[in-house]
Amino acid sequence: MWQGADVYEDIRYEVDDPVAVITLDRPAALNAWTDQMGEEVRDAMRRAEADPAVVGIVVTGAGRAFCAGADMNVLTDLTEGRAPSGRSVADEQGAQSSQPEPDGEFTGRFPYVMTVDKPVIAAVNGAVAGMAFPFVLCCDLRVVTPDAMFLTAFAQRGLIAEWGLSWLLPRLVGPAVALDLLFSSRKVRGEEALRLGLANYLVPGDELLPFCREYIYNLASACSPTSLAIMKRQVYEQLHKGLGEAEVDSQRLMVESFGRPDFKEGVQSFLQKRPPEFKRVGG
């Protein structure tokens, strides 16, 4: 675990039951991504996952951008053959290729977000560029403002679709649209992002965080956190399975759910016309 859990430098972490908010906090650099930021975000995600006061997580950016992509100092180092760690790029690649992959499909810089047992909402307040693009797509939902802007830029830098973007993007918008965005590196604003399927909701800028908080408040007041966690796992794991296997797996999970207290509480609260009282996840 990241050792600076209580003193983050590149992010802010706040919990107000039932919402945890992770704010990328390098506004002067348009929240450009650093290795430090990545470690801090991962640590904050795991803290929120383990905290029973948290039902859902919101990730946003400070200032006028969500995240402008990799920090330019990192990119400059890479053009000169140096990895951010200080080793050569070739040595860094060799070290990474020798790493075990205990989480299978969800091992990697950003897909771990899909394994967090709580809903994760990207509150996109501005630019999402470069490596921030796959990070945002690994979040469960995306809420955008008209000022939001998605940009790949890889082709313009002599690069390729990184960190799983070539898998993530076509599953949201289809192969042809994905290739258009990757080829052209054109800017996609909030309204078009909603139309293409990159975003779930479009809201005015001053309503962005209140909307995301209210979404999670509604989940906390009406839904089983355990059910949310299992359904999230179902969706992402079954993207790699056939329909028949997914159906068999869902039958097994449904039988298990019949034996949990949340099922009894869900039925009783409905019959008694009262809000359900589900146990939180974490702790």
Side-chain angles (χ1 to χ4, degrees):
M1 174 180 283
W2 171 247
Q3 296 302 308
D6 295 317
V7 186
Y8 294 129
E9 295 180 9
D10 287 355
I11 70 168
R12 297 197 309 269
Y13 177 70
E14 304 158 292
V15 175
D16 183 8
D17 187 333
V19 184
V21 178
I22 299 170
T23 304
L24 309 183
D25 194 24
R26 303 182 69 224
L30 298 179
N31 303 318
W33 195 274
T34 64
D35 284 348
Q36 170 101 0
M37 178 181 285
E39 291 175 352
E40 292 180 358
V41 169
R42 184 184 288 258
D43 182 76
M45 288 276 189
R46 293 309 182 193
R47 288 178 69 187
E49 183 179 38
D51 187 347
V54 176
V55 172
I57 303 165
V58 177
V59 186
T60 194
R64 59 190 180 91
F66 181 90
C67 175
D71 185 270
M72 289 306 298
N73 291 327
V74 173
L75 295 181
T76 300
D77 285 344
L78 290 172
T79 64
E80 297 175 357
R82 296 192 305 272
S85 62
R87 294 183 290 195
S88 72
V89 172
D91 289 343
E92 185 77 8
Q93 289 173 335
Q96 290 180 357
S97 65
S98 66
Q99 295 291 326
E101 295 191 357
D103 297 323
E105 299 288 353
F106 302 101
T107 295
R109 182 176 291 250
F110 300 133
Y112 78 89
V113 176
M114 297 175 170
T115 72
V116 175
D117 279 340
K118 295 177 179 180
V120 179
I121 301 174
V124 181
N125 55 306
V128 174
M131 65 188 301
F133 208 143
F135 171 70
V136 164
L137 296 194
C138 284
C139 297
D140 304 315
L141 303 175
R142 284 151 296 281
V143 181
V144 303
T145 71
D147 292 331
M149 187 268 288
F150 293 82
L151 175 68
T152 62
F154 300 120
Q156 296 177 346
R157 305 290 180 268
L159 299 172
I160 51 83
E162 65 178 349
W163 303 119
L165 186 60
S166 59
W167 187 94
L168 295 159
L169 189 56
R171 281 164 172 76
L172 284 175
V173 301
V177 173
L179 287 171
D180 170 41
L181 299 184
L182 291 168
F183 288 166
S184 68
S185 295
R186 66 182 180 83
K187 297 175 181 178
V188 176
R189 301 288 182 180
E191 291 185 6
E192 185 181 9
L194 181 68
R195 186 170 69 253
L196 291 179
L198 283 174
N200 299 87
Y201 299 97
L202 174 69
V203 300
D206 59 353
E207 297 179 16
L208 180 60
L209 286 181
F211 179 94
C212 294
R213 290 180 184 276
E214 184 66 20
Y215 188 97
I216 294 173
Y217 291 152
N218 290 336
L219 296 183
S221 65
C223 299
S224 160
T226 298
S227 292
L228 298 178
I230 293 173
M231 288 190 291
K232 176 173 175 174
R233 204 173 312 141
Q234 279 182 278
V235 166
Y236 291 132
E237 289 182 354
Q238 291 174 4
L239 281 172
H240 306 281
K241 299 179 180 179
L243 174 58
E245 187 178 0
E247 187 195 16
V248 170
D249 194 36
S250 67
Q251 291 176 18
R252 175 184 61 81
L253 292 169
M254 182 62 80
V255 171
E256 290 178 3
S257 71
F258 290 153
R260 282 195 292 271
D262 281 5
F263 173 61
K264 182 177 181 179
E265 172 61 13
V267 172
Q268 287 184 342
S269 63
F270 175 76
L271 294 175
Q272 296 170 9
K273 295 182 173 56
R274 60 171 175 81
E277 297 179 3
F278 294 121
K279 183 179 179 180
R280 297 284 183 86
V281 172

